[in-house]
Amino acid sequence: MSPWEKVRRQIEGGTGNTELLAFVAALDEPARKAVAAQLPGYLAERLRSDPRARWEVVMRASAFRIVGAACMSGASQVATWLNRREFRDMRAPKEDAERIARLLRGRKEEWRRNLAHRLVDGLRPGRGGTAARSEGEPGWDLAATLVIETGIQPAENDAFVAGWVWDLHRQLWMGAESQVVRDHPLLDVMVPRLFHAAGVAPALTHDWQWNTGHQLPSIIGVLAELTVEGRLDRQALLDACAARFLRGGEARDVEPFVILWKELRPTVAELPVVDLVRVLPAAASPLAQLAADELRRFDEAGGLDDDLFAEAVGALAFRPEKKYVTAALQWIAQAAPERADGSLTALAQIFGLDTPALRDRAVRLAIKLAPHASPAAGSVVREAAASLPPEPLGRIAHVFGEVEPTPPEAPVAGVLLPVASLPDLPPPITSAADLAEELSALGWPHNTPMKLERLLSAMVELTHRDHAATAEALRPWWKERWDRFSPFWVGCATVYNPHALLSLCGLAVVAPADSAELSRQITEYLDKNPPYQTVLDWFVRDRFREVIALFEAGRTIPVLLATPTAPTGHVDADTLISRLERLGDAEPLPLDFHQALLRLPRAVDPAALARAEKLTSPAGRRLAAWLRGGGLADPVMTCRLERMSRSAGYQNSVDVAELHIRMTPAQDLPEPVHDLCVLKPKAWFQGHSERMVWWPAIMPSHREVIAAHVLECFAVDIANSHAQVDVLPTLVRGEGPVGLATGSAIAMGMGHKLPATRAWATDAVKILALRGELPADDLGWALGRLVRADTVKLSRVTPALEELALSGAHAETWTILASALPAMLPAAGERPRPGLADLLAVAVQAAALAGARADVPELAEVAARKGGSRLTAEARRLLQTISMR
């Protein structure tokens, strides 16, 4: 047996790495060359194989690395092999590094130095979060081992520095003492690089938080200790921190160096005050807080000159965070009168804030400093005061001189633009070959209801036209899926998935007996393990199942009645009559017939009714009676806030306030249709659905009915972010009344925690507004109650309403808010909800754009309260905007 065959067998057989290492180390030069010649091709072949073979490569990465390191000749070739991405996520990287380093010690020193340089250059940042990276950076252990053994100066590679930090963190976390940092051979090389290497900050922060939280030494803490011992230069670390501060960056980038600065405890004399002032305007919050604190400490020691004081308080006043503006006000309040000019310049910036409490405090301080102001400072104050409200403006003018108020900017109304429409329906599929091709190309992300309805219709019609030819055309498609995914398809079918059910329809065409056996297994499974599905989900599932049963019985029908003729899911009445004429006296599939009835438009041409009256089949007479009676009457609905028990973790529950619709039919109906028109709230998890995309097309002429079912699901799913808010734009494009159910569902959707998901609810509002159908009063009523019940957060709703107001739907937005505000505004003695002032600001914009005039007693009561809170100020602005006087 050749050396390569022996090596290959040991790799594939999972022989221990120790035995493999001993075997390849004992090979002579010709044998190593022979193995090296075969190894790359063997790996490439394994990677081209099935997923299991690729997984085995990853699992045996250390064996591949051992063989390559032992048998390949050039340092460049070995480095390329060891740095392959397939070998990055190996187990036990330290042990791997020790084995390979031991293997390479027999190589020439120059060769090893060359390899060390190449391994350092080839390092790349690890993937995954801190939990994964705390196990070590891929390839670092071997690179570091060779760097230390050969004594080379490692190249500037950020991944190498990050790997050093992660390695120290791992050792400290495993119980090592601080000596692992102090005595590390690379300490003096690595410490200066910490301050400019990308990717180091997350490692340092994680190490600090994790290790200090477990009373273990941290890297930052040890570095500070080493300056006390004299092992590291204290001033060098302070200078490096200051230089890092000047480079800026996000909070996560500067946080560990802020921590190090605090651990170093610089004296007042060591503070780089000019640098700290320079970073204040734009620094990330941890650094800004540090700079502000250190500058106050320096100033209290009497060392900050007036110019730097003015620049510092001006920078704090400029920042958007209220805490820094407050810090500026506190600093100014304690400043000497000689600093009046610098203080007034900073205070002038605060005049423009929307926070009345901060603005009024700035006005009071400016008035106090007026006797000490220079003419130039007074001019700055007067100019800034022009945008103040009348009362504080008058107080400033009384002290600083006449101020010409800035006229308020008139709001500019936007134009409400159409939301993208539903895509047109493609033409029907007319051949078995085309059907098989489209089924093969159908992917999971593309299984939209209209696509699957079209494929199901073609399968029924083509099978009726030529069962044998259709079965033969579908056989390769089905065989591919059955051989690869049989258990998967069965699992999907049991829990309801239209894509899987369509594939099972194909099985029923190709192999009816196999399909019947599978259906028996599925039924048996469902009897023992009934999954919860909504009535709408079962309706869709059972439509597919009746087609499967048709094929399993060896029967066919010419056409399905319910295949949509419009993107909304509607079926044209004349088309439905023509389909019934094609059926002749044959009875349609029951659910298919009822689905077709539910997809009819609300208004049917009298000529279509006259055609239907001429149908002689039983199904035709039922259709004529349905049309003659006006179709489905709108069910009776009531909406109210109810408290329901919902899951709150394992075996725990919580009572939650939710809006629910109770619904009953307004007429006698066939059982499948009747069940769709009955709804009452259920506790726990009973409203959940993952297939709501199918719902609008079930009853496209009765939007409010579908919205009631959607609301029941949102009550369960909004809180855990599973709600399928993207159903709303499709839902509202249908027909029929919209009211409390639709408004409540949209309000819930606007409360989703993800902005991108909330946007679907906003789009639904825009669609209804463009069509003149928005139930703004109902939406506002629902929104008010959901916010008051703390079910929907104002911080999520307000941006959506502002977008609506500024995009052209200002009148509708005002109507929504006028209906919502009475429930949202706090009663006397009640704590206002967070974000209410922001909502009132949006109401001011919407009311101004709409030219609204209204009487809202609850608003007047809030506006009349004493105090200078922003909520009171915004209430007064809104009251003034909508005043009838």
Side-chain angles (χ1 to χ4, degrees):
M1 185 183 297
S2 70
W4 163 244
E5 283 298 321
K6 293 179 180 179
V7 167
R8 183 181 63 78
R9 289 194 176 190
Q10 290 194 56
I11 293 175
E12 294 178 356
T15 301
N17 289 322
T18 303
E19 292 83 353
L20 178 62
L21 178 68
F23 179 79
V24 294
L27 292 175
D28 58 20
E29 188 64 23
R32 291 184 180 185
K33 287 184 178 180
V35 170
Q38 296 288 337
L39 188 60
Y42 172 69
L43 176 63
E45 181 183 351
R46 297 298 300 273
L47 294 175
R48 284 195 299 267
S49 301
D50 57 76
R52 179 175 178 81
R54 293 193 294 272
W55 176 80
E56 289 175 349
V57 167
V58 175
M59 290 297 99
R60 295 171 185 170
S62 189
F64 279 98
R65 285 165 58 86
I66 289 170
V67 175
C71 298
M72 293 178 175
S73 57
S76 173
Q77 188 182 19
V78 172
T80 301
W81 180 259
L82 294 175
N83 283 329
R84 287 187 67 105
R85 64 180 180 180
E86 295 86 6
F87 305 154
R88 288 171 60 86
D89 299 323
M90 81 193 80
R91 299 173 179 177
K94 261 198 177 322
E95 291 80 352
D96 172 86
E98 291 170 1
R99 282 191 296 265
I100 294 180
R102 187 164 66 251
L103 188 65
L104 297 176
R105 287 187 185 116
R107 302 265 192 166
K108 293 181 179 179
E109 189 66 14
E110 183 59 32
W111 187 96
R112 295 173 71 238
R113 286 197 292 269
N114 187 358
L115 178 62
H117 280 295
R118 292 178 181 276
L119 290 178
V120 171
D121 289 340
L123 288 177
R124 296 294 179 266
R127 295 170 294 181
T130 54
R133 298 184 70 183
S134 62
E135 295 298 319
E137 292 284 70
W140 184 86
D141 292 285
L142 178 59
T145 299
L146 288 175
V147 166
I148 293 169
E149 288 186 0
T150 60
I152 68 165
Q153 180 76 2
E156 295 273 357
N157 185 337
D158 294 348
F160 187 73
V161 183
W164 182 69
V165 175
W166 284 119
D167 181 66
L168 289 178
H169 163 71
R170 182 176 54 184
Q171 293 186 62
L172 292 170
W173 167 241
M174 296 301 292
E177 298 295 332
S178 57
Q179 285 86 347
V180 299
V181 182
R182 178 189 296 107
D183 300 335
H184 199 286
L186 298 178
L187 177 68
D188 294 319
V189 176
M190 292 292 106
V191 168
R193 298 184 184 185
L194 291 175
F195 298 89
H196 56 80
V200 166
L204 287 171
T205 302
H206 176 76
D207 173 76
W208 170 264
Q209 293 173 345
W210 190 262
N211 285 4
T212 57
H214 292 83
Q215 289 76 52
L216 294 170
S218 68
I219 297 171
I220 291 175
V222 174
L223 292 179
E225 291 173 7
L226 294 182
T227 64
V228 176
E229 298 177 11
R231 174 66 178 82
L232 293 177
D233 187 326
R234 170 188 172 78
Q235 191 59 49
L237 287 186
L238 288 172
D239 292 343
C241 285
R244 182 63 188 82
F245 295 160
L246 289 173
R247 286 202 299 276
E250 297 183 14
R252 64 175 180 268
D253 299 322
V254 299
E255 183 178 12
F257 306 106
V258 169
I259 297 170
L260 176 58
W261 180 273
K262 292 178 180 178
E263 289 294 298
L264 291 171
R265 296 181 177 86
T267 65
V268 169
E270 291 174 319
L271 295 179
V273 290
V274 175
D275 292 342
L276 293 173
V277 171
R278 297 291 185 267
V279 303
L280 261 183
S285 188
L287 176 55
Q289 187 65 60
L290 175 73
D293 292 343
E294 294 291 62
L295 289 170
R296 285 296 301 270
R297 182 159 70 98
F298 190 88
D299 194 40
E300 288 169 359
L304 198 63
D305 66 41
D306 291 349
D307 288 340
L308 285 176
F309 165 80
E311 188 175 347
V313 293
L316 289 170
F318 171 78
R319 292 185 66 94
E321 303 98 322
K322 293 179 183 178
K323 67 176 182 178
Y324 296 119
V325 178
T326 301
L329 290 169
Q330 291 171 342
W331 199 351
I332 290 169
Q334 298 173 7
E338 292 77 16
R339 289 176 163 180
D341 281 8
S343 298
L344 288 168
T345 302
L347 293 171
Q349 297 183 71
I350 303 174
F351 288 176
L353 293 184
D354 287 335
T355 308
L358 294 176
R359 188 179 60 212
D360 291 347
R361 189 173 175 184
V363 169
R364 291 196 302 272
L365 284 172
I367 293 171
K368 179 181 176 181
L369 293 171
H372 310 283
S374 68
S379 176
V380 170
V381 171
R382 286 193 298 274
E383 182 179 353
S387 61
L388 286 170
E391 191 274 332
L393 185 148
R395 290 161 57 201
I396 290 290
H398 179 73
V399 176
F400 285 90
E402 183 178 357
V403 177
E404 183 67 29
T406 303
E409 292 185 10
V412 179
V415 177
L416 192 58
L417 300 175
V419 178
S421 59
L422 297 174
D424 292 335
L425 297 181
I429 299 170
T430 57
S431 74
D434 290 344
L435 174 62
E437 182 179 352
E438 293 210 24
L439 286 169
S440 297
L442 188 67
W444 284 101
H446 310 295
N447 54 357
T448 61
M450 295 302 106
K451 280 191 175 183
L452 296 190
E453 290 274 12
R454 174 172 170 265
L455 291 165
L456 182 65
S457 173
M459 196 178 292
V460 168
E461 294 192 29
L462 293 170
T463 301
H464 179 76
R465 186 186 306 168
D466 191 334
H467 192 162
T470 304
E472 190 60 30
L474 297 185
R475 195 176 308 280
W477 161 74
W478 171 254
K479 188 176 187 309
E480 177 188 2
R481 278 153 177 74
W482 179 259
D483 287 348
R484 294 178 60 191
F485 301 116
S486 174
F488 181 69
W489 288 114
V490 175
C492 288
T494 58
V495 298
Y496 168 77
N497 185 299
H499 193 159
L501 290 166
L502 180 67
S503 292
L504 294 177
C505 288
L507 172 63
V509 173
V510 174
D514 292 343
S515 178
E517 173 58 22
L518 181 56
S519 293
R520 185 193 64 76
Q521 294 175 17
I522 292 173
T523 301
E524 182 179 301
Y525 178 85
L526 291 176
D527 288 343
K528 295 179 180 177
N529 308 279
Y532 176 77
Q533 297 292 337
T534 68
V535 64
L536 296 172
D537 293 334
W538 285 128
F539 186 80
V540 174
R541 190 204 79 140
D542 290 344
R543 279 191 58 226
F544 281 89
R545 292 304 304 271
E546 71 178 4
V547 173
I548 293 171
L550 175 79
F551 292 149
E552 288 175 351
R555 298 171 47 233
T556 64
I557 54 174
V559 64
L560 288 178
L561 302 180
T563 304
T565 59
T568 56
H570 281 102
V571 174
D572 174 69
D574 278 314
T575 302
L576 176 55
I577 294 168
S578 298
R579 289 171 179 172
L580 279 167
E581 289 172 344
R582 287 178 62 188
L583 278 180
D585 291 333
E587 188 66 16
L589 298 175
L591 287 179
D592 182 48
F593 177 74
H594 290 121
Q595 177 63 95
L597 297 182
L598 293 174
R599 284 177 170 171
L600 287 167
R602 292 181 74 87
V604 175
D605 192 298
L609 174 57
R611 279 188 67 197
E613 296 284 9
K614 296 177 182 178
L615 296 171
T616 59
S617 66
R621 290 195 294 271
R622 293 199 300 273
L623 172 62
W626 180 267
L627 295 176
R628 198 183 313 116
L632 176 64
D634 294 314
V636 179
M637 297 188 188
T638 58
C639 180
R640 67 185 184 192
L641 200 68
E642 303 187 37
R643 299 201 71 84
M644 305 294 296
S645 291
R646 298 296 180 199
S647 175
Y650 181 67
Q651 292 185 341
N652 293 318
S653 66
V654 62
D655 283 346
V656 181
E658 302 168 347
L659 279 178
H660 288 281
I661 298 290
R662 292 178 180 267
M663 178 168 60
T664 56
Q667 66 196 115
D668 291 334
L669 294 169
E671 183 179 353
V673 179
H674 173 276
D675 292 346
L676 299 178
C677 297
V678 174
L679 186 64
K680 61 180 179 179
K682 299 176 181 177
W684 295 93
F685 207 52
Q686 297 301 299
H688 175 70
S689 172
E690 296 181 353
R691 298 289 180 269
M692 291 170 65
V693 66
W694 283 82
W695 293 9
I698 295 175
M699 303 176 75
S701 295
H702 292 80
R703 292 178 289 189
E704 191 77 344
V705 175
I706 298 300
H709 287 282
V710 168
L711 177 63
E712 187 68 16
C713 281
F714 281 6
V716 174
D717 287 343
I718 283 288
N720 55 30
S721 300
H722 291 161
Q724 297 171 23
V725 182
D726 55 345
V727 72
L728 292 175
T730 305
L731 166 62
V732 300
R733 284 186 169 98
E735 292 181 333
V738 285
L740 281 172
T742 303
S744 299
I746 291 173
M748 288 289 287
M750 293 171 76
H752 196 282
K753 74 175 184 180
L754 299 179
T757 303
R758 293 199 294 269
W760 294 110
T762 307
D763 284 349
V765 175
K766 291 178 181 178
I767 293 167
L768 289 169
L770 281 165
R771 296 169 65 161
E773 298 175 341
L774 180 68
D777 282 322
D778 293 327
L779 174 52
W781 180 91
L783 199 57
R785 278 141 190 84
L786 289 168
V787 169
R788 188 167 188 82
D790 294 324
T791 304
V792 167
K793 295 182 180 180
L794 282 174
S795 60
R796 298 172 183 175
V797 171
T798 300
L801 291 171
E802 183 175 28
E803 179 189 342
L804 289 170
L806 299 180
S807 63
H810 39 271
E812 292 85 354
T813 304
W814 167 247
T815 303
I816 293 169
L817 288 170
S819 180
L821 283 175
M824 293 183 184
L825 292 169
E830 184 182 6
R831 186 180 182 87
R833 281 162 180 77
L836 186 54
D838 292 330
L839 185 75
L840 290 179
V842 172
V844 171
Q845 291 179 300
L849 289 169
R853 296 292 181 268
D855 181 19
V856 184
E858 296 84 354
L859 179 68
E861 194 275 327
V862 174
R865 294 175 189 172
K866 296 180 181 180
S869 70
R870 184 174 172 228
L871 174 65
T872 304
E874 294 295 351
R876 291 167 184 162
R877 283 181 63 210
L878 179 57
L879 187 63
Q880 182 180 10
T881 303
I882 64 174
S883 175
M884 302 297 292
R885 295 184 295 276

